[in-house]
Amino acid sequence: MVVESEPIDDLVVELGSSYSIIKRDNFTVYNYTEMDVKEDTFNLFTWGFQYVPLRPSNIAKDLVVSKLFIRSLNLAFYFKEQSYVNNGLSTASTFNPPTHPSIKVFEELVENDLRNAHSQGTNLFPVNLDQQGVRLINHLKNESIRVMKPDKGGGVVLMYNSDYDSHLHDMLHDSDQYEIVSKNEVILAFSKINFMLTDHLLQGVINERLFNYLHVNKPKIQIIFGIPKIHKGLDPLRFRPIVSGAGSITEPLGKFVDHITKQFCSSLKHVCKDSWDFLKGIESSFFQPGLLMVTIDIVDLFPSIPHSIGLEWFNEVLSLEAGLSNKVTGLLVEFMEIVLENNFIYFNGELYKQRRGVAMGASFATLYANVVLHRWEQRFIFFYHLGPIFNTLQKVPR
């Protein structure tokens, strides 16, 4: 609730019970700290989250970047006569063919230019942040202030790290959604996953190449962060939990499921990629007199899907519509169950496991939710007797 409003120059400030809102044009700063957001600080935030301060030139780092570019250029030339399709289900290659003579000359010229520029003290990167900007960024660090991008809409959200940690701590201690686990439980779960993959390899369920992709030698524990949902209210501020699973033991399993299932989902006519995809599929004949368009929004869809129902419906859709063999369908469902049941998260020295739903941020999360919702629509929308509903709608005053 806004209790006061006052202009400062051309910045509009609104004060709430635990926050302040600073606006100019279409940019807004939601400030949950005691920091005084003045003109120069506001202007720094307007540069947005795509802005990256350019670093001073460093000969070692610059040479590494140039070597990586030369390698990619050489690989492209080496494979130019070969047809190669990367489906994303392979480990990173270390193959480095002999450098082509022309590319070798180019490499030497680039290296000489870099070394000459550094020896003359030339900064190869133009400065895009003045001293005032550097001081402002250091001030944010010293004050332990977290700068976040809102879930929807523009602007930034400012919050003390301690307050942010408290919000996520409360979220993770929701016993319906998460549970605290021990390190031994995580190690045991990892061992079971590795044993399952090895057994599938020995039984011929998967080949050695797929095993090498699915098996993670040194897995990392997923981390979680929250994105402020300012559109859901400012006091109290709510967060959308996003899990980063890069390097986790279940990441390749999820990517494998996503890769295979995505080929089937792209053929579903009533599944839209986005609003533009929906508009492209609408013909003028669709709009008839008396047409009533209805939308349904599911609150917190991703974390709300029970594992048992989700896996059952996921299995039904793959079995009935995907055109896959029973062996492949069973493998996908098995992998999906492993991913859902072993969603371990690390935050502030504690380990958690998600008890329900699918982790937002996972590579397969959107596809899994779409498949489950597709089955829900089949059960309760497409094949439901709508006569009584339409009769009721006809009596609703327009």
Side-chain angles (χ1 to χ4, degrees):
M1 177 179 180
V2 176
V3 295
E4 184 180 348
S5 177
E6 59 180 10
I8 300 180
D9 296 332
D10 58 342
L11 297 179
V12 178
V13 180
E14 299 176 354
L15 302 179
S17 57
S18 62
Y19 61 89
S20 61
I21 301 177
I22 304 95
K23 298 180 180 178
R24 176 192 283 152
D25 300 329
N26 295 323
F27 194 85
T28 305
V29 175
Y30 302 89
N31 187 7
Y32 286 82
T33 73
E34 296 178 355
M35 185 181 73
D36 186 11
V37 180
K38 297 181 179 179
E39 180 82 12
D40 50 1
T41 311
F42 186 91
N43 290 336
L44 177 65
F45 291 143
T46 59
W47 292 356
F49 288 89
Q50 301 301 319
Y51 162 75
V52 177
L54 294 179
R55 60 172 175 81
S57 299
N58 180 287
I59 182 62
K61 293 182 179 179
D62 294 342
L63 286 176
V64 169
V65 172
S66 67
K67 296 291 184 182
L68 292 174
F69 173 75
I70 293 297
R71 178 178 182 268
S72 63
L73 190 66
N74 192 46
L75 285 172
F77 186 86
Y78 183 83
F79 287 108
K80 67 176 183 178
E81 302 297 338
Q82 303 181 36
S83 176
Y84 175 73
V85 178
N86 183 5
N87 59 13
L89 300 179
S90 60
T91 55
S93 171
T94 58
F95 175 64
N96 195 21
T99 306
H100 188 273
S102 298
I103 297 179
K104 184 65 177 179
V105 173
F106 175 70
E107 179 183 12
E108 293 174 353
L109 291 174
V110 170
E111 183 172 342
N112 288 335
D113 286 345
L114 287 174
R115 293 188 181 278
N116 290 334
H118 280 279
S119 64
Q120 298 172 10
T122 305
N123 191 354
L124 301 178
F125 302 101
V127 177
N128 64 346
L129 183 66
D130 57 19
Q131 291 300 316
Q132 176 66 10
V134 172
R135 285 193 294 269
L136 290 173
I137 291 178
N138 289 333
H139 174 72
L140 292 173
K141 293 179 179 178
N142 295 333
E143 294 295 324
S144 298
I145 294 175
R146 188 179 183 89
V147 182
M148 298 172 284
K149 183 179 180 180
D151 185 33
K152 295 181 180 179
V156 299
V157 178
L158 307 180
M159 179 174 286
Y160 289 119
N161 285 328
S162 57
D163 293 337
Y164 168 82
D165 290 347
S166 179
H167 278 283
L168 260 64
H169 177 273
D170 294 342
M171 181 190 307
L172 290 170
H173 282 75
D174 177 2
S175 58
D176 291 334
Q177 193 69 40
Y178 303 94
E179 63 177 309
I180 298 178
V181 295
S182 67
K183 185 178 180 179
N184 287 337
E185 290 179 86
V186 176
I187 294 175
L188 180 60
F190 284 7
S191 299
K192 290 181 178 179
I193 294 174
N194 288 332
F195 178 81
M196 177 273 299
L197 291 174
T198 303
D199 183 64
H200 280 356
L201 175 63
L202 296 176
Q203 297 295 328
V205 178
I206 59 177
N207 57 31
E208 185 175 358
R209 180 179 179 181
L210 183 56
F211 172 84
N212 291 334
Y213 172 75
L214 297 176
H215 183 264
V216 182
N217 288 322
K218 297 180 180 179
K220 300 177 181 178
I221 303 293
Q222 299 177 123
I223 59 175
I224 189 171
F225 61 94
I227 299 180
K229 300 199 295 186
I230 58 174
H231 60 287
K232 296 293 185 180
L234 298 176
D235 191 13
L237 183 63
R238 298 174 58 190
F239 288 83
R240 184 182 303 280
I242 304 295
V243 171
S244 175
S248 69
I249 195 167
T250 58
E251 181 191 24
L253 293 172
K255 286 186 175 180
F256 176 79
V257 174
D258 180 77
H259 174 77
I260 301 299
T261 313
K262 186 180 294 183
Q263 303 173 31
F264 147 71
C265 287
S266 61
S267 63
L268 296 177
K269 295 182 179 180
H270 64 281
V271 174
C272 300
K273 297 179 181 178
D274 49 36
S275 300
W276 291 108
D277 188 40
F278 170 76
L279 293 174
K280 290 178 182 178
I282 296 297
E283 301 178 355
S284 58
S285 59
F286 174 77
F287 299 97
Q288 300 292 332
L291 172 68
L292 180 64
M293 298 189 69
V294 179
T295 62
I296 301 175
D297 182 30
I298 300 178
V299 178
D300 296 331
L301 170 62
F302 285 40
S304 299
I305 304 174
H307 290 341
S308 57
I309 296 178
L311 288 171
E312 177 186 347
W313 290 1
F314 184 74
N315 182 33
E316 290 178 0
V317 171
L318 294 185
S319 300
L320 298 175
E321 302 181 53
L324 302 172
S325 66
N326 293 335
K327 177 182 176 181
V328 174
T329 298
L331 191 63
L332 293 176
V333 174
E334 180 185 11
F335 285 176
M336 180 58 71
E337 182 177 9
I338 291 173
V339 172
L340 294 176
E341 297 290 350
N342 295 277
N343 184 24
F344 297 104
I345 302 167
Y346 176 85
F347 181 75
N348 273 8
E350 289 188 301
L351 293 169
Y352 303 85
K353 184 171 78 169
Q354 186 168 345
R355 302 182 60 186
R356 184 182 63 191
V358 58
M360 298 187 66
S363 58
F364 61 90
T366 301
L367 183 140
Y368 174 72
N370 280 338
V371 170
V372 173
L373 201 57
H374 168 65
R375 191 56 176 165
W376 178 84
E377 289 174 336
Q378 288 180 321
R379 288 193 172 198
F380 302 107
I381 300 296
F382 298 144
F383 299 126
Y384 192 84
H385 181 61
L386 298 179
I389 298 179
F390 287 140
N391 292 336
T392 302
L393 292 176
Q394 290 175 0
K395 300 177 183 178
V396 177
R398 295 292 192 271

